[in-house]
Amino acid sequence: MDYFLELCLGGLTRGSIYALIALGYTMVYGIIQLINFAHGEIYMIAAFIALIVSAILTINGFTGVSILIIAAVIAILYAAAYGYTLERVAYRPLRNAPRLSPLISAIGMSLFLQNYVLLAQTPDFLPFPELLPEFEFMDPVAHLIGSAELVILVVTTVTMLGLTFLIRSTRLGKAMRATQQDMTMARLVGINVDRVISLTFVLGSVLAAIGGVLVGSYMGQINFFIGFMAGVKAFTAAVLGGIGSIPGAVLGGVVLGLTEALAAGYISSAYEDVFAFGVLILILVLRPNGLLGRTVRTKV
Amino acid sequence: MRLVGRSLLVGLWFMFLTLPLLAVRVNTITETVEWRWLNLVWVGLGTFILSLALALWRQRSESQPQRDDGEGDITPRWRERLFHDQTVYRPLLIMALLATLLLPWLVDIYQINILVLALIFVVLGLGLNIIVGLAGLLDLGYIAFFAVGAYTYALLNINLDLGFWAALPLGGLAGAFFGLLIGFPVLRLRGDYLAIVTLGFGSIVKIVIENEDELFYGAMGIADIPRPGLLGLDLSLDQSTLYTYYLVVALALLAIFVTNRLKDSRLGRAWIALREDEIAAVAMGIDMAKCKLSAYAFGAFWAGLVGVLFAARNTFIHPNSFTFAESALVLSMVVLGGMGSIVGVTLAALILVLLPEYLQGLAEYRMLVFGGVMVAMMVFRPHGLISPSRRRYTRPQAQGEEG
C-alpha cells in the first residue's frame, strides 16, 4: 500500500509539472490554434539560465534561499523575453498563413533553440544545484513524499490558482477570453489582439520557466534535450484534457503523470513513454476532443 | 535613419537574450565562470545587419509595387517552360540521368557510399511527400516506417535466412501495414492532433525496438546484415557498393516515376483536394477514409522498401538511426523542396544530405541551420524552393500537350 501511495504521490508531482507546461500549450492553442512546439525549449532554456545564475551566485558567496529566489526570478524574466521574441519572429508573420505553416515554423524553432543551447553550452548533462529547501517536519512521511515534491506540489497549485484568477477576473483575462472566442470581434470592440497574443506567450513562458526551475532542482541534472521530451509530454497532457481548456490541461497532466508513475512502478520504467503515448492514442480514438474538450462544429 | 535605430534596438535585444547562454559558461565542478563576450558582439552585429537588410528589402518592395508585378509575371513563365516544355526539360532530364549513371566511375568508394545515403533520403523524402505534401497529413514519426523496413530485413535474415531480394517487397509491405495501423486511429483527427499522435507512434516504435532484447536485439543493434546479392555472385566490397548504388538509383527513379504518375491520378487529385479543403472534398464524394489510409500506406511503403536497402547498405542497424531528428530531417526536405513538388523534394534531399558531408565544419551547425531555415522558409517562401506546379489541362482542339 505504501508503495502504491508513493507511486501516486510521485505521479502527482510529475503530473503537476506536466500540467504547468501544458497550460502554456493550451492557452496558446486556445487563442491562435497553434501547437507551439518550441514551448518545451523555453522550459529548457529557463532551467539552463537558473543553473547559470545560481552557479555565479554560489561562486560569489550567496547561500540558501536567496539563490533560489534570484535565480528563479531571472530565469522567469528571460523565459518571458524568449517567449515574446519567439512569437514576434516565428509566428506573427504567419498569422494568416495556411495552418501547416506556423506548425512547421514551430518545429524549426524548436530544433533551432535546442541546437543553440547545445552549441552555446554543452551537449552533456549538467549537474543542477539543489535549490529547493529541505523541511524537517517532512521527516515522518519522508518515505512517501520528499520536501522537494511538496514544494513542487504547493508551487504548482498556487500558480494554477493564480492563473485561474487572472483569466477569470482581470481585464487581461477578459481580453484573452474574448480573443479566444472571436478574434475579429475582439478587435472590433477595441482589444489590441496582437498584444493579447504576445502576453499569452509571455504568460505561458513564465509558467514553463517555473516548471523548468522546479524540475531542474528536483531531477538534479539538465541537458539541452529535456525540453523536447517535457514538451511532448505536456502537449500530450493538454490534448488528453482537451486542448484549449485550462482545467483540461491540469486534469490531463495529472492523469498522464499518474499513468506514467504507475506503469514505471509496476511494469517497467523503460516503457513509461510507451504508456503515455498509448493512453493518448486510446483517448483520442475514443474521444477525439479530449477529456474536457468541447466538440467544435465546423460550419461551411 | 529610423530603420537603423530600430535595427540597433533589435541587435541590442538579441544581445540581451543571448547573454546568459552564449556569453557565460560555468563549470560547476571547478566553480569557475568563463565569460565569452566576443560571442555577444557577433550576435549583436549579425542580428543588426540582418534586421537592417530585412527592413530595407521590405521598404523597397513596398515602394516599387509595379516592378514586382512585372517580375511575378516573368518567373512563372520561365518556370512553366522548364517544367512543361518538353524541348527544354527532356534534354535536362537525360543529362541528369547520364550524370547519375556515370558518377560512380569518377569518384571513390567513400563518395559512392555517401551518394547511396543521399539517394536513400531522396526516396524517403518522396515517400513523405505523398503523406505531407500531397495529402496534407503532417507526420512527425515517418522514420518509424523506415525502421520497420530495416528491421524486417534484418530479422527475416537472422530467423528465416531470407535474402535481400525476398525481403525487399516484404519490407515495403511491412511499412505499408504499419502505415495502415497508424492511419486507422487517426482518421478522425485534425492536423494538430495528428502531428502529436504520429510523433508518439515514432517514439513508441523506437522505444520498443530499444528495449526488446530478445526480439529486436535491443540497444546492441543488429550487425552482419548481408549486402544485396546479385545472382549468387561473390562480389568484392567495391563491386558491391557500386551495385548498391545502381540499385538505389533504380529505386529512386522508380519512386520518382510512381509518385509523379500518382500525383496526376484520380487518387492523387483526391489527396490534393483533401489537403486543400476536407469538407469540400468530402462533399464532392471523395471517400476520406480510403484516401487518407492509402496515403499512409503508399508513403510508408516507400520508407519500408528503402529501409531494407538501408540495412543492406550499412550491414548494421541500431535504434539510434531512427530518432525524431531523422523524422525532422525528412520533413525539412519536404518543406524546403516545396510540399508536393517532386523535383523540389529530390533536390532538397540531395542538398540536405550532401552539403553537411562535404562541409565538415558545418556539420556541427547542421541542425541549427535546419531549424533556422525551416522558420525562414515558412516566413519568406512558404511554398518551398520549387513550388509545386499544378498540372494544366488544355482543351482537345489546342494541339500539343495531352490532357
Side-chain angles (χ1 to χ4, degrees):
Chain A
M1 197 57 213
D2 266 10
Y3 185 55
F4 177 73
L5 218 64
E6 190 191 335
L7 287 179
C8 280
L9 285 167
L12 209 60
T13 313
R14 199 196 283 215
S16 60
I17 299 277
Y18 288 155
L20 210 54
I21 311 172
L23 284 170
Y25 276 108
T26 236
M27 285 193 301
V28 166
Y29 190 91
I31 286 191
I32 54 174
Q33 280 81 47
L34 161 77
I35 299 177
N36 180 10
F37 254 95
H39 191 61
E41 311 325 324
I42 303 266
Y43 151 93
M44 178 267 297
I45 285 174
F48 260 92
I49 289 174
L51 172 96
I52 290 166
V53 172
S54 60
I56 294 174
L57 290 176
T58 315
I59 291 166
N60 289 324
F62 284 76
T63 46
V65 189
S66 64
I67 297 183
L68 172 68
I69 292 170
I70 299 175
V73 167
I74 294 182
I76 287 168
L77 286 179
Y78 259 103
Y82 268 93
Y84 173 78
T85 316
L86 180 70
E87 195 265 334
R88 277 302 285 267
V89 172
Y91 305 141
R92 189 173 294 186
L94 295 170
R95 199 59 52 79
N96 297 315
R99 284 188 67 167
L100 216 50
S101 304
L103 195 59
I104 289 166
S105 173
I107 294 168
M109 217 56 217
S110 161
L111 283 177
F112 182 86
L113 289 175
Q114 258 175 41
N115 286 279
Y116 153 66
V117 174
L118 168 87
L119 293 170
Q121 292 290 318
T122 163
D124 306 317
F125 270 100
L126 282 178
F128 200 95
E130 268 188 38
L131 296 176
L132 301 182
E134 286 285 329
F135 300 118
E136 274 175 23
F137 66 81
M138 289 295 291
D139 284 348
V141 285
H143 61 291
L144 289 179
I145 179 170
S147 307
E149 283 156 329
L150 184 77
V151 174
I152 290 178
L153 280 176
V154 170
V155 171
T156 49
T157 313
V158 169
T159 315
M160 284 176 215
L161 288 178
L163 182 74
T164 315
F165 170 77
L166 188 127
I167 288 176
R168 283 225 182 121
S169 328
T170 60
R171 261 181 89 82
L172 173 65
K174 215 175 190 177
M176 280 168 70
R177 278 180 291 141
T179 313
Q180 176 162 10
Q181 276 176 14
D182 190 332
M183 207 184 275
T184 321
M185 194 59 214
R187 212 174 256 135
L188 283 176
V189 296
I191 293 170
N192 186 343
V193 169
D194 277 338
R195 221 191 69 192
V196 170
I197 292 172
S198 282
L199 282 172
T200 310
F201 271 88
V202 167
L203 214 57
S205 304
V206 167
L207 296 178
I210 296 173
V213 176
L214 289 175
V215 170
S217 64
Y218 178 54
M219 295 296 198
Q221 55 175 11
I222 56 171
N223 81 342
F224 72 97
F225 202 62
I226 56 164
F228 178 75
M229 219 43 217
V232 169
K233 292 288 178 57
F235 181 69
T236 306
V239 172
L240 254 179
I243 195 153
S245 144
I246 284 175
V250 178
L251 180 69
V254 171
V255 169
L256 192 71
L258 285 176
T259 312
E260 274 188 17
L262 292 176
Y266 286 113
I267 301 163
S268 155
S269 60
Y271 280 97
E272 56 176 56
D273 290 351
V274 173
F275 275 92
F277 289 125
V279 167
L280 172 79
I281 294 176
L282 201 72
I283 290 198
L284 284 180
V285 171
L286 299 175
R287 278 188 67 96
N289 290 302
L291 291 173
L292 300 183
R294 253 176 286 134
T295 326
V296 186
R297 288 194 186 281
T298 327
K299 287 183 191 157
V300 188
Chain B
M1 232 33 241
R2 249 189 63 234
L3 289 181
V4 178
R6 271 192 64 119
S7 302
L8 214 60
L9 270 180
V10 171
L12 283 175
W13 173 251
F14 275 94
M15 279 170 81
F16 164 73
L17 274 185
T18 49
L19 171 75
L21 288 168
L22 258 185
V24 190
R25 179 141 54 186
V26 290
N27 190 328
T28 37
I29 297 154
T30 56
E31 298 211 330
T32 46
V33 183
E34 182 194 340
W35 296 90
R36 301 170 291 175
W37 295 112
L38 200 63
N39 283 344
L40 222 55
V41 176
W42 288 122
V43 167
L45 215 63
T47 43
F48 169 69
I49 293 171
L50 216 70
S51 150
L52 192 65
L54 223 99
L56 286 175
W57 175 73
R58 219 170 251 159
Q59 201 181 39
R60 228 193 63 179
S61 58
E62 262 167 35
S63 64
Q64 295 173 313
Q66 272 105 358
R67 163 84 55 93
D68 247 20
D69 280 354
E71 272 174 2
D73 241 17
I74 293 163
T75 339
R77 223 180 275 158
W78 166 84
R79 266 207 11 232
E80 219 162 278
R81 281 203 55 192
L82 192 61
F83 288 109
H84 295 287
D85 192 344
Q86 293 194 344
T87 54
V88 178
Y89 76 73
R90 281 239 168 112
L92 275 176
L93 275 182
I94 290 169
M95 264 159 64
L97 187 66
L98 275 179
T100 340
L101 291 180
L102 288 177
L103 204 58
W105 303 99
L106 304 173
V107 295
D108 59 30
I109 260 321
Y110 173 73
Q111 320 264 347
I112 299 178
N113 248 323
I114 294 173
L115 284 173
V116 172
L117 188 69
L119 285 167
I120 284 176
F121 271 93
V122 167
V123 180
L124 275 178
L126 289 170
L128 186 63
N129 189 36
I130 295 177
I131 301 178
V132 179
L134 293 181
L137 305 160
L138 188 61
D139 189 337
L140 297 179
Y142 184 66
I143 214 72
F145 305 131
F146 188 52
V148 166
Y151 271 87
T152 305
Y153 175 42
L155 293 173
L156 283 177
N157 187 266
I158 289 177
N159 298 324
L160 301 173
D161 209 25
L162 237 53
F164 172 79
W165 286 105
L168 191 65
L170 289 176
L173 289 179
F177 172 72
F178 271 83
L180 289 178
L181 205 67
I182 187 65
F184 267 115
V186 301
L187 269 182
R188 291 198 295 167
L189 301 179
R190 280 178 302 122
D192 322 292
Y193 290 87
L194 202 66
I196 201 74
V197 171
T198 49
L199 191 138
F201 173 73
S203 320
I204 289 179
V205 168
K206 189 193 166 237
I207 294 169
V208 170
I209 291 175
E210 214 166 25
N211 289 301
E212 284 297 327
D213 291 341
E214 281 158 34
L215 255 174
F216 302 119
Y217 299 88
M220 293 181 307
I222 301 178
D224 290 331
I225 301 165
R227 293 170 188 282
L230 174 64
L231 304 168
L233 289 176
D234 238 351
L235 295 173
S236 72
L237 187 64
D238 284 15
Q239 286 168 325
S240 165
T241 310
L242 201 62
Y243 176 53
T244 315
Y245 176 78
Y246 282 116
L247 266 180
V248 74
V249 167
L251 207 61
L253 286 178
L254 185 71
I256 292 173
F257 177 74
V258 172
T259 42
N260 196 27
R261 299 298 291 169
L262 213 54
K263 196 172 76 171
D264 292 325
S265 71
R266 202 177 164 78
L267 187 60
R269 279 179 290 145
W271 284 336
I272 295 173
L274 268 180
R275 177 188 74 188
E276 297 295 321
D277 191 332
E278 202 170 301
I279 296 167
V282 172
M284 296 302 290
I286 288 173
D287 185 346
M288 185 187 75
K290 209 176 83 188
C291 275
K292 283 191 176 175
L293 284 178
S294 59
Y296 271 110
F298 272 112
F301 175 78
W302 287 110
L305 208 63
V306 85
V308 174
L309 198 79
F310 178 75
R313 172 216 181 240
N314 280 16
T315 69
F316 172 71
I317 49 173
H318 188 272
N320 277 355
S321 311
F322 311 106
T323 60
F324 174 71
E326 275 74 33
S327 284
L329 176 64
V330 182
L331 182 69
S332 49
M333 287 168 188
V334 176
V335 173
L336 288 186
M339 281 186 266
S341 152
I342 289 169
V343 186
V345 171
T346 310
L347 282 179
L350 288 176
I351 292 171
L352 286 187
V353 178
L354 294 181
L355 211 60
E357 288 292 343
Y358 289 112
L359 300 172
Q360 283 297 337
L362 262 179
E364 230 181 302
Y365 295 91
R366 188 168 75 160
M367 293 312 276
L368 185 83
V369 173
F370 278 179
V373 167
M374 269 164 97
V375 177
M377 210 66 182
M378 283 302 114
V379 174
F380 298 110
R381 258 194 93 87
H383 296 294
L385 289 174
I386 299 172
S387 49
S389 53
R390 285 286 179 80
R391 191 180 186 121
R392 300 210 174 142
Y393 295 90
T394 40
R395 280 200 217 147
Q397 57 258 49
Q399 298 278 312
E401 271 180 83
E402 69 233 66

